[in-house]
Amino acid sequence: MKIAGGCHCGAVRYEINGEALTHALCHCSDCRRHSGAPMVAWAMFPADAVKTTKGTTKTYASSADGRRYFCADCGTGLFYTNAAILPGITDVQSATFDDPNVLPAHAHIQTAERIGWMEAAHDLPMFERYPPQN
Ligand SMILES: [Zn+2]
Ligand SMILES: [Zn+2]
């Protein structure tokens, strides 16, 4: 499949030409702390399927072999690689796809590190916009 995406400010754009190997919602503490969000959705592709088409990412070593690639202007996290654990693979933060609905997630991973209340997050009251003001 062909997927385009990029960061919030538009300085970095990428294109994917290939099939996703998996697509998972990661609850690990590294993803949480780097993103500032309860979890991160990762779509995994062969590295040569993912090309940056505009701008350049900044790289952060979030662990011994883990590398996180983000836009230095707006901070959006885009890619992850790990030459030791995932050689030849690029993980893409699928929420940065132009159309994030194009590829549904298949699983939750690293739930051993999940925030406790996230297990039942889908049971919380839902509002199309904001709760009614009284
Ligand atoms: Zn940006
Ligand atoms: Zn993670």
Side-chain angles (χ1 to χ4, degrees), residues 52-130:
T52 299
T53 54
K54 181 186 174 196
T56 52
T57 52
K58 186 166 183 178
T59 307
Y60 169 64
S62 61
S63 63
D65 298 298
R67 298 292 180 269
R68 289 170 193 266
Y69 304 78
F70 60 98
C71 174
D73 290 336
C74 70
T76 304
L78 296 166
F79 312 125
Y80 175 86
T81 62
N82 190 313
I85 297 170
L86 298 168
I89 294 292
T90 295
D91 264 340
V92 181
Q93 290 198 205
S94 62
T96 66
F97 293 171
D98 290 344
D99 178 8
N101 280 307
V102 72
L103 184 70
H106 299 299
H108 292 267
I109 59 171
Q110 298 274 41
T111 59
E113 298 179 13
R114 179 176 53 195
I115 299 173
W117 51 260
M118 274 297 285
E119 183 174 5
H122 58 281
D123 294 331
L124 295 171
M126 296 188 190
F127 303 93
E128 217 168 284
R129 295 298 179 192
Y130 296 103

Side-chain angles (χ1 to χ4, degrees), residues 25-32 40 42 68 80 109-110 113:
L25 305 174
C26 187
H27 294 266
C28 84
S29 63
D30 283 344
C31 285
R32 183 167 69 243
V40 176
W42 292 108
R68 289 170 193 266
Y80 175 86
I109 59 171
Q110 298 274 41
E113 298 179 13

